[in-house]
Structure formats: structure tokens, C-alpha cells
Amino acid sequence: VLSAGPLIDKEWIDKSQKKFKSNKGLNRWATKKNIDYLNAISNQLYEKNITLAELNEFELKKDNLIENFEKQLVSLDDEIYKLDKMKECFSVYKESHTLIKEYKKSEDKTRFKQENYSKFKQYDMAKKNMSYLKKHYNITDEPSLYAKLSILKQDRNVFYGSLGRNVEKQKEVERQEQIRTQRQKKKIEIER
């Protein structure tokens, strides 16, 4: 198994920048550094008995791994965002109970719906979100939704942590998420 760390630990100096073109000394220095870099890679490849084809294959696998990792991270962020937008659906649905009762009692249902259009729209969206949550996540109540969001956010923090983010910052984010989740649970319990 190849390791990219010690094999390629420097950056190629791009001499196409204006500062390298206008300064011959800097240009020579960058050329020397690039030659030293190529020699170091060549020596390491020889010592480890690695061909350029194997190195290219390794780099391709590494790039694919990074791309896959980034896709998973974006997917996780999208899922959190989507579920975060649905957090209020259970309370909106519960609050709409009186609206539906009044609607059923009303004599002019069309007029009642027109007068309460935004409330009905919220109710319909809440029903749609609840149906989605049940179908895709088997979530049927607010505490389950918050629990799922908490798990996803912890997973996301682990992903970001593995990208080399500050560990202390990651712990603080996790602590803040736990506090918010606990507050939401208390709020839900109080509302019951």
C-alpha cells in the first residue's frame, strides 16, 4: 500500500505567475526547487520500487476517494438541511386541528379556505413533510426527528473532524448541538 504523505510532501512551484517571469533570480530558484522536488520523488519511487504508472494509479484512487468523501459530506449536509426545514411540521399539524374543525363546521367552505389560505398551505406542507418523514425515515413524531437530526449532525461533525478541523471546535459544536436538542426535547415535553 502506498502512502502519499512521505512520498509527495511538497508542492510544485508554478512559475507561470508574473513574479517568476519578472524576477530571473526567483525564476532560477523556483526551477532549482522544482528539479530538487522531481529528484526527491524519483529517488523515493526508486527506493520503494514504485513505477510512475503505480504512482498515477495511486493518485487517481486518492482523488476518487476524496471526491467520494466530498460527495458524502455534501449529501449529509443536504439531508440535514432538508430535515431541519421540516422540524416544525408536527407542531404545525397539531396546531391546525382547530382550523380543520372550523373548516368542517363552516357553511361556506370555499370562502373559509380563501380567508385562511396561508394556514391551509402550512397545514398541507406539514402533512406532506410528515408523510415524507414517515416514508423515508419511519419518523412519526418530533422527538424522533430531533434524534435523527442529532445523529446526522454528529456524523457530519465526525466527517468534518476527519478533514483535520480543530478538535476543540468540533467538540464545542457537538456540545452546542446537544444543548439545542435537550432544549427542544424540554419544549416538546412542556407542550404536551
Side-chain angles (χ1 to χ4, degrees):
V1 177
L2 296 175
S3 169
L7 187 62
I8 302 173
D9 61 350
K10 298 178 182 178
E11 293 288 324
W12 178 262
I13 299 173
D14 179 11
K15 298 189 316 177
S16 65
Q17 298 173 27
K18 185 177 180 180
K19 65 182 179 181
F20 291 106
K21 291 180 179 179
S22 62
N23 186 331
K24 288 185 180 186
L26 188 60
N27 190 311
R28 271 190 235 124
W29 172 84
T31 301
K32 183 180 180 323
K33 288 294 180 184
N34 284 342
I35 290 170
D36 290 345
Y37 173 65
L38 290 174
N39 284 333
I41 289 176
S42 177
N43 289 337
Q44 288 182 21
L45 290 174
Y46 179 76
E47 287 172 12
K48 295 181 182 195
N49 198 20
I50 300 170
T51 66
L52 282 177
E54 290 171 330
L55 181 62
N56 285 334
E57 182 181 335
F58 172 75
E59 288 294 321
L60 183 62
K61 285 180 182 178
K62 182 184 83 169
D63 290 344
N64 288 339
L65 183 66
I66 290 170
E67 183 180 332
N68 193 15
F69 185 80
E70 288 172 346
K71 284 180 183 177
Q72 287 178 333
L73 194 54
V74 166
S75 174
L76 193 55
D77 280 340
D78 288 347
E79 187 175 9
I80 290 169
Y81 177 76
K82 187 187 314 181
L83 293 180
D84 235 0
K85 286 176 50 177
M86 295 182 189
K87 284 194 307 193
E88 305 299 321
C89 69
F90 294 102
S91 59
V92 168
Y93 183 81
K94 190 166 40 171
E95 291 168 3
S96 300
H97 182 70
T98 55
L99 175 73
I100 301 304
K101 283 172 65 177
E102 290 174 12
Y103 171 73
K104 289 180 179 178
K105 289 180 184 176
S106 72
E107 292 178 20
D108 187 356
K109 295 191 183 328
T110 304
R111 182 172 178 220
F112 185 85
K113 245 189 168 175
Q114 288 174 343
E115 290 173 353
N116 296 286
Y117 174 77
S118 64
K119 292 178 183 177
F120 276 102
K121 190 173 180 178
Q122 288 176 336
Y123 169 76
D124 289 340
M125 184 57 75
K127 271 179 46 176
K128 179 181 173 186
N129 288 342
M130 288 171 57
S131 174
Y132 177 86
L133 290 170
K134 181 173 173 107
K135 180 179 178 183
H136 294 282
Y137 297 97
N138 200 26
I139 294 175
T140 57
D141 59 8
E142 206 164 340
S144 299
L145 176 57
Y146 280 96
K148 178 68 175 175
L149 272 167
S150 178
I151 290 168
L152 289 173
K153 288 177 181 179
Q154 287 173 356
D155 289 349
R156 178 189 60 194
N157 291 342
V158 168
F159 264 109
Y160 277 116
S162 66
L163 287 174
R165 306 278 183 192
N166 185 333
V167 175
E168 292 302 317
K169 186 175 181 181
Q170 178 184 346
K171 287 179 182 178
E172 178 61 22
V173 168
E174 290 172 0
R175 191 177 72 72
Q176 292 295 330
E177 289 295 334
Q178 288 174 347
I179 291 170
R180 271 182 254 163
T181 302
Q182 289 171 354
R183 285 182 185 158
Q184 284 295 359
K185 286 179 182 177
K186 287 179 183 177
K187 180 182 172 188
I188 292 167
E189 290 172 5
I190 292 171
E191 291 176 354
R192 289 183 182 172

